[in-house]
Amino acid sequence: MPILEISGLRKSYGSTEVLRGVDLHVNAGELVCVIGPSGSGKSTMLRCCNLLETPSGGRIFANGHDVTSAMVDINRLRQDIGMVFQQFNLYPHLTALDNVSLALRKVQRRTNAEAEALAQAALEQVGLGAKARSFPAELSGGQQQRVGIARAVALKPHVILFDEPTSALDPELVEDVLNVMRDLRQRGMTMLVVTHEMAFAHAAADRVVFMDGGVVVEQGTAADVFENPRETRTQSFLARYGSRRS
């Protein structure tokens, strides 16, 4: 059974249909990259997976549990499905350690000592152990994003969703974040990544999904999609953006 399974996912805002029946699955240990033009519904799809957006139709299963059920435990769901955002979403008045440990204390009900130990380990994993007592304003954008990744990792989710995690970063900071994601892949973390970093998707992804117009147009191995795309829309997109390398 896939860790994450999306079937017939639809999302509308009024009369505007953003997702028009998305079918996608992510297996345990896979890194799946979703590419496509802006406005194709990629981020909306991610946000539906942990109910930051409520689907208008379709089903989503995470680790065998029905995300779209009226009985879903949202707090439990968001522990199983980690999320890394474009804009970091750190609390400016909390240190890196406190930003990471907050959910461990408030959601998982860990003691302060347990939460701090787990948060410190997560920061070490992303190369920021020495920055545990720093506030977000004292960190670079890349470091802030790595704190965001540590926050997701610390909860030990079954899958982590990444919503264009490098889009808000200066170019020289992008590689540090991508290296952390490569390391997570080596450790067996299941990841669904919306990205414009084509070189990363080409080199690191087990599978690449091309979305446009609110649907999955094409998917396959990175080599298949980047080197031998079947669909005209995929070919056109890659001809314009595929040569942009991180």
Side-chain angles (χ1 to χ4, degrees), residues 4-10 21-25 57-61 68:
L4 184 66
E5 187 169 13
I6 302 167
S7 178
L9 181 63
R10 294 181 176 274
V22 173
D23 296 310
L24 178 64
H25 72 276
R59 305 288 292 276
I60 302 172
F61 290 89
T68 49

mmCIF file of all heavy atoms in Angstrom, residues 4-10 21-25 57-61 68:
data_model
loop_
_atom_site.group_PDB
_atom_site.id
_atom_site.type_symbol
_atom_site.label_atom_id
_atom_site.label_comp_id
_atom_site.label_asym_id
_atom_site.label_seq_id
_atom_site.Cartn_x
_atom_site.Cartn_y
_atom_site.Cartn_z
ATOM 1 N N LEU A 4 1.212 7.432 0.546
ATOM 2 C CA LEU A 4 0.264 8.498 0.210
ATOM 3 C C LEU A 4 -0.410 8.144 -1.103
ATOM 4 O O LEU A 4 0.268 7.836 -2.087
ATOM 5 C CB LEU A 4 1.002 9.836 0.086
ATOM 6 C CG LEU A 4 0.152 11.081 -0.173
ATOM 7 C CD1 LEU A 4 -0.753 11.374 1.020
ATOM 8 C CD2 LEU A 4 1.053 12.293 -0.449
ATOM 9 N N GLU A 5 -1.740 8.180 -1.115
ATOM 10 C CA GLU A 5 -2.496 7.847 -2.329
ATOM 11 C C GLU A 5 -3.584 8.888 -2.548
ATOM 12 O O GLU A 5 -4.428 9.114 -1.686
ATOM 13 C CB GLU A 5 -3.104 6.458 -2.205
ATOM 14 C CG GLU A 5 -3.769 5.972 -3.484
ATOM 15 C CD GLU A 5 -4.121 4.496 -3.429
ATOM 16 O OE1 GLU A 5 -4.078 3.912 -2.337
ATOM 17 O OE2 GLU A 5 -4.438 3.946 -4.493
ATOM 18 N N ILE A 6 -3.525 9.530 -3.688
ATOM 19 C CA ILE A 6 -4.470 10.584 -4.068
ATOM 20 C C ILE A 6 -5.291 10.059 -5.245
ATOM 21 O O ILE A 6 -4.733 9.598 -6.242
ATOM 22 C CB ILE A 6 -3.722 11.864 -4.473
ATOM 23 C CG1 ILE A 6 -2.833 12.357 -3.326
ATOM 24 C CG2 ILE A 6 -4.683 12.955 -4.913
ATOM 25 C CD1 ILE A 6 -1.833 13.437 -3.741
ATOM 26 N N SER A 7 -6.608 10.135 -5.130
ATOM 27 C CA SER A 7 -7.475 9.575 -6.158
ATOM 28 C C SER A 7 -8.592 10.554 -6.507
ATOM 29 O O SER A 7 -9.401 10.920 -5.643
ATOM 30 C CB SER A 7 -8.074 8.250 -5.666
ATOM 31 O OG SER A 7 -8.964 7.699 -6.610
ATOM 32 N N GLY A 8 -8.615 11.006 -7.752
ATOM 33 C CA GLY A 8 -9.696 11.868 -8.236
ATOM 34 C C GLY A 8 -9.801 13.181 -7.483
ATOM 35 O O GLY A 8 -10.902 13.728 -7.357
ATOM 36 N N LEU A 9 -8.673 13.722 -7.027
ATOM 37 C CA LEU A 9 -8.694 14.922 -6.179
ATOM 38 C C LEU A 9 -9.139 16.148 -6.958
ATOM 39 O O LEU A 9 -8.591 16.468 -8.012
ATOM 40 C CB LEU A 9 -7.310 15.166 -5.582
ATOM 41 C CG LEU A 9 -7.176 16.377 -4.647
ATOM 42 C CD1 LEU A 9 -8.064 16.217 -3.415
ATOM 43 C CD2 LEU A 9 -5.714 16.569 -4.239
ATOM 44 N N ARG A 10 -10.139 16.836 -6.395
ATOM 45 C CA ARG A 10 -10.651 18.062 -6.996
ATOM 46 C C ARG A 10 -10.656 19.176 -5.955
ATOM 47 O O ARG A 10 -10.872 18.937 -4.768
ATOM 48 C CB ARG A 10 -12.069 17.865 -7.548
ATOM 49 C CG ARG A 10 -12.121 16.898 -8.708
ATOM 50 C CD ARG A 10 -13.531 16.725 -9.285
ATOM 51 N NE ARG A 10 -13.507 15.867 -10.458
ATOM 52 C CZ ARG A 10 -13.272 16.273 -11.691
ATOM 53 N NH1 ARG A 10 -13.068 17.577 -11.919
ATOM 54 N NH2 ARG A 10 -13.251 15.436 -12.702
ATOM 55 N N GLY A 21 -9.215 16.434 -10.840
ATOM 56 C CA GLY A 21 -9.155 14.969 -10.823
ATOM 57 C C GLY A 21 -7.727 14.459 -10.841
ATOM 58 O O GLY A 21 -7.315 13.792 -11.789
ATOM 59 N N VAL A 22 -6.982 14.754 -9.784
ATOM 60 C CA VAL A 22 -5.574 14.361 -9.694
ATOM 61 C C VAL A 22 -5.473 12.956 -9.113
ATOM 62 O O VAL A 22 -6.050 12.656 -8.064
ATOM 63 C CB VAL A 22 -4.779 15.346 -8.814
ATOM 64 C CG1 VAL A 22 -3.361 14.831 -8.575
ATOM 65 C CG2 VAL A 22 -4.752 16.715 -9.464
ATOM 66 N N ASP A 23 -4.732 12.091 -9.799
ATOM 67 C CA ASP A 23 -4.426 10.746 -9.322
ATOM 68 C C ASP A 23 -2.912 10.634 -9.160
ATOM 69 O O ASP A 23 -2.156 10.877 -10.113
ATOM 70 C CB ASP A 23 -4.902 9.682 -10.309
ATOM 71 C CG ASP A 23 -6.410 9.674 -10.475
ATOM 72 O OD1 ASP A 23 -7.112 9.647 -9.453
ATOM 73 O OD2 ASP A 23 -6.881 9.711 -11.632
ATOM 74 N N LEU A 24 -2.477 10.269 -7.958
ATOM 75 C CA LEU A 24 -1.046 10.218 -7.678
ATOM 76 C C LEU A 24 -0.823 9.344 -6.445
ATOM 77 O O LEU A 24 -1.631 9.354 -5.520
ATOM 78 C CB LEU A 24 -0.510 11.636 -7.417
ATOM 79 C CG LEU A 24 0.963 11.801 -7.059
ATOM 80 C CD1 LEU A 24 1.844 11.353 -8.224
ATOM 81 C CD2 LEU A 24 1.266 13.257 -6.704
ATOM 82 N N HIS A 25 0.278 8.606 -6.449
ATOM 83 C CA HIS A 25 0.637 7.840 -5.253
ATOM 84 C C HIS A 25 2.133 7.995 -4.994
ATOM 85 O O HIS A 25 2.914 8.273 -5.906
ATOM 86 C CB HIS A 25 0.269 6.361 -5.399
ATOM 87 C CG HIS A 25 1.145 5.614 -6.358
ATOM 88 N ND1 HIS A 25 0.927 5.593 -7.723
ATOM 89 C CD2 HIS A 25 2.268 4.877 -6.152
ATOM 90 C CE1 HIS A 25 1.854 4.875 -8.318
ATOM 91 N NE2 HIS A 25 2.688 4.425 -7.389
ATOM 92 N N GLY A 57 -13.497 17.298 -3.770
ATOM 93 C CA GLY A 57 -13.891 15.961 -4.187
ATOM 94 C C GLY A 57 -12.684 15.056 -4.251
ATOM 95 O O GLY A 57 -11.541 15.515 -4.214
ATOM 96 N N GLY A 58 -12.925 13.762 -4.339
ATOM 97 C CA GLY A 58 -11.843 12.793 -4.401
ATOM 98 C C GLY A 58 -11.478 12.270 -3.023
ATOM 99 O O GLY A 58 -12.068 12.649 -2.007
ATOM 100 N N ARG A 59 -10.489 11.393 -2.988
ATOM 101 C CA ARG A 59 -10.065 10.754 -1.741
ATOM 102 C C ARG A 59 -8.549 10.866 -1.612
ATOM 103 O O ARG A 59 -7.812 10.834 -2.611
ATOM 104 C CB ARG A 59 -10.452 9.273 -1.727
ATOM 105 C CG ARG A 59 -11.921 8.989 -1.959
ATOM 106 C CD ARG A 59 -12.802 9.362 -0.805
ATOM 107 N NE ARG A 59 -12.586 8.536 0.365
ATOM 108 C CZ ARG A 59 -13.161 7.338 0.542
ATOM 109 N NH1 ARG A 59 -13.953 6.821 -0.405
ATOM 110 N NH2 ARG A 59 -12.963 6.662 1.653
ATOM 111 N N ILE A 60 -8.086 10.964 -0.378
ATOM 112 C CA ILE A 60 -6.657 10.938 -0.068
ATOM 113 C C ILE A 60 -6.461 9.970 1.090
ATOM 114 O O ILE A 60 -7.145 10.067 2.117
ATOM 115 C CB ILE A 60 -6.127 12.329 0.331
ATOM 116 C CG1 ILE A 60 -6.372 13.346 -0.788
ATOM 117 C CG2 ILE A 60 -4.627 12.263 0.654
ATOM 118 C CD1 ILE A 60 -6.058 14.787 -0.381
ATOM 119 N N PHE A 61 -5.536 9.034 0.918
ATOM 120 C CA PHE A 61 -5.190 8.110 1.985
ATOM 121 C C PHE A 61 -3.720 8.318 2.348
ATOM 122 O O PHE A 61 -2.857 8.370 1.468
ATOM 123 C CB PHE A 61 -5.410 6.666 1.553
ATOM 124 C CG PHE A 61 -6.856 6.304 1.395
ATOM 125 C CD1 PHE A 61 -7.499 6.497 0.178
ATOM 126 C CD2 PHE A 61 -7.580 5.784 2.458
ATOM 127 C CE1 PHE A 61 -8.849 6.178 0.028
ATOM 128 C CE2 PHE A 61 -8.928 5.455 2.317
ATOM 129 C CZ PHE A 61 -9.563 5.655 1.104
ATOM 130 N N THR A 68 -9.666 12.308 3.931
ATOM 131 C CA THR A 68 -10.882 13.030 3.561
ATOM 132 C C THR A 68 -12.098 12.604 4.380
ATOM 133 O O THR A 68 -13.195 13.123 4.164
ATOM 134 C CB THR A 68 -11.167 12.838 2.064
ATOM 135 O OG1 THR A 68 -11.085 11.437 1.727
ATOM 136 C CG2 THR A 68 -10.153 13.575 1.217
#
